[in-house]
Structures are given as C-alpha cells and as structure tokens.
Amino acid sequence: MTTEDVDVAAVLDRVQTGVQAFDELVMGGLPRARTTVVGGTPGSGKTVFATQFLAHGITTFGENGVLVTFEEPPADIEANMLGFGWELAKWRKEGRLGFVDASPPASDELIIGDFDLVGLLSRIQHAVKTVNAKRVVLDSLTQLFDHFIGDPKILRRELFHISSALKKTGLTVLMTAERNSEYGEITRHRLEEFVADNVVILRNVLHREKRRRTIEVLKMRGSHHAEGEAPFTLLANQGVVAVPLSSLRLEQQSSTVRVTSGNSEIDKMCGGGLFRDRVTLVSGATGTGKTLLVTNFLAGGVTAGEKAILFGYEESKGQLFRNASGWGADFAQMEAAGKLKIVCLYPEAQGLPDHLLTIQSLVDEFQPNRIAVDSLSALERIAPDTGFREFLISLTSFIKKREIAGLCTATSKSLIGGESVSEQHISTLTDSIILLRYIQEQNTMHRGLMVLKMRGSEHAKEIRKFTIDGAGMHFGETFKDVPNVFTNDDVGQ
C-alpha cells in the first residue's frame, strides 16, 4: 500500500454493514460511494449479507435502499428474510426500500451477440430516485450474466457502466456473485472482481461432516483491511454474526487482585490464588480430578459472594450436580440463589462460532465473576485445528476483556502425560497451567499436581501428591526422586 493509499484510507467515509465484526475488519465499514462484490458458493450467505447491509442502513441510519434481484422474486426474498427480523415488505410500503424485479421468467431465452443494459440501469436509477436511496444491492450478477452468450468484454463493459453510473450519484453498491468452489476462481464469470473496488468472499466449507463458515476481505481499494479468514454464523433475528479474530487487540488491563481457586493448598501453590482477570488451564488424564477442580473453583467463588457460570460439554447437568454433592458442594442451592448457572450442551449441537456466541450471550446476560469451561477437548473434535484455535483466541480474549476469572480443562492424550491438540493450542493463550498426572511408585499409582506456569507471579515448583475422597481433594507430601513425571512436551509449554 502506498502513502497515497494510506492518506485516502484515512479520509474515506465509511458505511457500516450491520455485521459488527466485519466492519471492524474493514476499519469501520465499506467505503462510501464504492462498489463491493461479495462472492460465494450457493448457500454461503451472500443474500443474507447483502440484505443485512440494506436493513442496517434503513433501521439504524435512515439510509433507504434498493434491492435489485436477478434470481428470486421480491415476495420470496421478503418471506425468506423475515426469519432474520427484517421486514422488507413493510419497508417497501413505507417507501424506505425499493425493489427492481429482474428475475427471469420461466420462458426466458438466452441472449446472443451484442447487447446493453441501459434499460436495467434506468430502472435502478428510477427506484433510487423514488425512495431517495443511499445503498443499492444487485443480487446476483451471476444469474444475470448466465443469460448472455457472447464476448466477455461486453459483459465487463456493461457492468462497468452500471457500476460507474451508480457510484457517480454517491451510492454505495454491493453486488453478489456465485463461485464454483470454495477456493477456486473468485467468481464464476471472472469479471465482477475486476470492476469492483472491493472484493469479499464468503465460504461454507465442509469439514468432519460439519460446515464452517468464514468471511475474507480479498481487496479493499484505497483502504487498509485485516487479512485472512474470520469465522461467522447465521442466527435467527440477527443475520450474519462474525468473529473478528484479526482485529482483536491485547488491550485489556492486568489486575493484581487474587481470587481463590476453591482449594487453599492450590492457592498457596499459585502464590496466593488466581488472578482476577486471567485464564487458567487445568490439564490431566481422565479421572485425575479436573472436574473436581472445576467444582471447587465454582463453589469457592459462590462462597466468596461471587457469581459463577459453567459451560459443560462432557457431562449432563444432573451428573454435575451429583458429583458436586458428593464433594460437599450444593450446586442446586447455589443455582436457586441465583449465584450459579450451569449450561450443558453437546459439542456437536452447533458449530464453534455458535458455541462462542452462546457463551458470550449468556455471560453478558448473567454477569458472572468467574467462568469455567469443561472441557475444551470435547469441543476440539468438532472443528479443524485452525477453527479451534480461532475459537480459543476469541474465548480467552472475551474472558480477559470482561475481567472474569476463567478456568478451562483439557484432557491429556495418555494417562501418564503428553499434550493433546487442545493443550497445544491453548497453552500459550492461558496465563496459568495446572497439570494433573498419574504417577507410579513401585506397585502403587498416585495422583500428582504441579503448577507449571503462573504469569506475573511466583509459584510452587514441586509436584504434590494428592488424594480424592467424598470430602474432596487432600494434599500430601512432595514427590521425591521420581524421574520423568511430566513429559518434555509438558515442560516445553
């Protein structure tokens, strides 16, 4: 990017799309009086994104819009978009939204040879003038171009003519176009991206029998933008909701306030307790006591007068209540008092972006002082490595920004140690790591606990022996002369 580009970017007026996270990726919104192409395969969310762009202008800024449809009749679009809370029919009657119905009839024939789109442009300009529009959507150009057979230069000429004419009147134009594959050509006809000022790509990739939606800003002429793909999802009454990973900043404050882990011995090993605004990872094999530490963490917070929330992905609410009761913690009473909230979901019930939005929504609603996630390993299996790391970055950033004490668990890949994929991803994102391992001494198997990392604080370096019974966790002496208790992978974290 040149110095001239940076200067232009600094003075460009922005048009917010209504997709908050996307607007952050493009430094405040799409440049006004520019043309943007949104490309994607069928089902990727192009029409939803484009309609949200119009709806946000109408409802938030009083900027009327025009929707030019080349595929679906207006009545179908109005019915489809009601599920997202957008009352297109009402806005049309109120003169806030104009429709140009260019959807082809069933008997429409192909056009061969030279042609022009002067008639279409006139219809669009008339609709713009009628509703005093500031935003225009053309959905979808692919359906329009599919009816013309001839020199591609003619298509490009006509598209450039329409785009230029609309931009000259100060309109911000968004055009959708279909792609043949998720990572192939930008658009099917390979024309739109050369005419437009900006190019945005929506993807809907199938991985492990699950769809993962992402949005990428490929080109933003004269303006800086975040690079790479960001996950998004489609939600009822909201539309497109994206997660702005590239715009996350390490700007949260660092508190020196300590809170209890729920176990006095662990507090001592951590140098006086956990920090208020930090995220702690508890790593261990099955049966080493991870859920017990979560129970202590939640109960300790409630006892101290705090509110706590647990997101469980491995056990049902009934199992968690039973387990807590066996260790002397009355989760039912805490929940009845409004001090504790337990949310249990199957990982496969929704994608990771949806899980993240569920967590954020419930945390904002309940306003807890501490949050526990049990376990990350269960969520790991429903997404590719990249998607899982994106989820972890967003989750830990959200917890720290809210200045909430966080505790997450991860299951080790073996009984005696060795990091799992989830540990590899989150070990550098968390502020503290507590390792739980089985340790064999002659013919006896013991449990051991070690505070591996505690950012900004001194902590115990020894490996403590502990037992678990109906009263909870009890610590004994330090292990001595036990070689290779923790693997080299663990120490490297």
Side-chain angles (χ1 to χ4, degrees):
M1 182 179 292
T2 65
T3 303
E4 182 180 353
D5 290 333
V6 175
D7 292 339
V8 171
V11 299
L12 282 176
D13 187 17
R14 300 287 176 167
V15 177
Q16 294 183 13
T17 64
V19 184
Q20 181 179 352
F22 173 79
D23 290 339
E24 293 178 13
L25 294 176
V26 293
M27 311 304 146
L30 298 175
R32 187 176 296 279
R34 298 286 179 91
T35 301
T36 300
V37 165
V38 178
T41 55
S44 59
K46 300 183 299 299
T47 300
V48 178
F49 184 92
T51 307
Q52 189 163 339
F53 166 74
L54 291 176
H56 191 63
I58 292 171
T59 59
T60 305
F61 297 102
E63 296 184 353
N64 296 345
V66 168
L67 175 57
V68 185
T69 172
F70 299 105
E71 185 172 9
E72 296 179 278
D76 290 352
I77 296 178
E78 289 173 350
N80 295 338
M81 295 301 117
L82 270 177
F84 298 107
W86 304 324
E87 300 177 298
L88 304 188
K90 175 185 175 184
W91 298 336
R92 180 163 60 162
K93 292 178 182 178
E94 294 173 345
R96 304 164 74 185
L97 175 65
F99 266 105
V100 174
D101 185 4
S103 57
S107 59
D108 196 25
E109 297 179 356
L110 296 177
I111 299 176
I112 303 175
D114 198 5
F115 65 92
D116 63 54
L117 298 177
V118 174
L120 173 63
L121 177 59
S122 297
R123 293 178 63 190
I124 297 174
Q125 290 173 327
H126 176 72
V128 167
K129 184 177 180 180
T130 300
V131 301
N132 189 27
K134 301 297 182 183
R135 306 183 182 202
V136 174
V137 164
L138 283 69
D139 181 44
S140 123
L141 292 177
T142 305
Q143 297 301 318
L144 171 65
F145 291 162
D146 282 348
H147 292 280
F148 297 95
I149 298 178
D151 189 349
K153 293 180 181 179
I154 299 177
L155 291 176
R156 184 168 179 172
R157 179 198 68 195
E158 292 303 307
L159 179 59
F160 181 79
H161 178 56
I162 290 178
S163 175
S164 299
L166 296 178
K167 286 165 55 178
K168 284 180 181 179
T169 58
L171 292 165
T172 306
V173 183
L174 193 152
M175 306 180 291
T176 70
E178 291 186 8
R179 311 179 68 207
N180 292 324
S181 62
E182 302 296 352
Y183 291 95
E185 297 290 346
I186 296 174
T187 60
R188 183 182 299 170
H189 291 281
R190 294 181 289 180
L191 297 171
E192 299 91 328
E193 62 266 29
F194 297 106
V195 175
D197 302 292
N198 319 309
V199 177
V200 176
I201 296 177
L202 304 180
R203 295 187 176 94
N204 189 22
V205 180
L206 180 64
H207 181 84
R208 296 182 184 176
E209 301 180 354
K210 288 292 229 181
R211 289 286 178 181
R212 176 175 178 264
R213 299 180 184 271
T214 63
I215 188 168
E216 179 185 5
V217 182
L218 186 65
K219 180 177 79 170
M220 191 68 58
R221 186 172 290 163
S223 174
H224 179 63
H225 63 86
E227 298 180 351
E229 297 179 76
F232 78 92
T233 187
L234 300 178
L235 296 180
N237 296 316
Q238 294 188 58
V240 177
V241 180
V243 180
L245 296 176
S246 298
S247 64
L248 294 174
R249 300 289 185 267
L250 296 173
E251 297 174 343
Q252 63 274 1
Q253 300 297 317
S254 294
S255 173
T256 58
V257 177
R258 302 267 188 169
V259 297
T260 180
S261 66
N263 185 293
S264 60
E265 289 298 320
I266 294 179
D267 288 346
K268 292 177 183 177
M269 295 179 70
C270 292
L274 307 176
F275 284 114
R276 156 65 61 202
D277 57 350
R278 305 291 178 87
V279 179
T280 299
L281 172 67
V282 176
S283 164
T286 179
T288 50
K290 298 187 299 298
T291 302
L292 173 54
L293 260 65
V294 169
T295 301
N296 290 340
F297 176 74
L298 299 171
V302 173
T303 301
E306 300 177 345
K307 294 173 68 176
I309 188 168
L310 167 64
F311 293 91
Y313 299 101
E314 290 189 329
E315 296 181 277
S316 68
K317 189 173 182 178
Q319 288 176 301
L320 292 171
F321 275 47
R322 182 194 62 195
N323 295 340
S325 178
W327 293 316
D330 191 345
F331 274 7
Q333 190 278 328
M334 296 177 191
E335 189 175 56
K339 293 294 184 179
L340 177 67
K341 188 176 186 66
I342 306 291
V343 181
C344 296
L345 296 168
Y346 279 112
E348 291 78 9
Q350 54 191 13
L352 282 182
D354 297 278
H355 279 298
L356 177 64
L357 292 171
T358 297
I359 292 173
Q360 292 176 339
S361 175
L362 291 175
V363 166
D364 287 340
E365 175 187 323
F366 189 63
Q367 294 292 309
N369 305 100
R370 52 180 67 196
I371 176 177
V373 178
D374 184 32
S375 89
L376 294 175
S377 301
L379 293 171
E380 172 197 326
R381 66 176 182 255
I382 68 169
D385 288 352
T386 300
F388 185 63
R389 183 167 179 80
E390 290 169 351
F391 168 81
L392 293 176
I393 292 172
S394 300
L395 175 63
T396 54
S397 298
F398 173 77
I399 292 174
K400 292 178 181 181
K401 187 174 182 179
R402 294 297 191 279
E403 296 187 4
I404 302 172
L407 185 77
C408 301
T409 69
T411 303
S412 301
K413 63 184 180 181
S414 69
L415 293 179
I416 60 173
E419 62 180 9
S420 64
V421 174
S422 49
E423 290 174 285
Q424 295 171 23
H425 282 305
I426 199 174
S427 60
T428 57
L429 302 176
T430 53
D431 305 284
S432 309
I433 298 177
I434 296 175
L435 297 180
L436 306 176
R437 293 292 188 264
Y438 289 113
I439 301 172
Q440 184 175 359
E441 283 186 322
Q442 298 181 353
N443 296 324
T444 304
M445 188 70 78
H446 301 281
R447 292 184 176 95
L449 182 147
M450 176 183 182
V451 179
L452 183 64
K453 180 173 78 171
M454 190 78 185
R455 281 182 183 150
S457 173
E458 283 294 324
H459 60 86
K461 306 300 192 295
E462 69 270 12
I463 304 164
R464 293 283 300 277
K465 182 184 298 185
F466 70 92
T467 59
I468 297 176
D469 60 21
M473 180 179 289
H474 307 280
F475 282 86
E477 72 269 14
T478 300
F479 282 100
K480 301 182 184 300
D481 300 324
V482 180
N484 300 321
V485 173
F486 298 97
T487 68
N488 292 331
D489 288 336
D490 290 326
V491 177
Q493 295 177 31

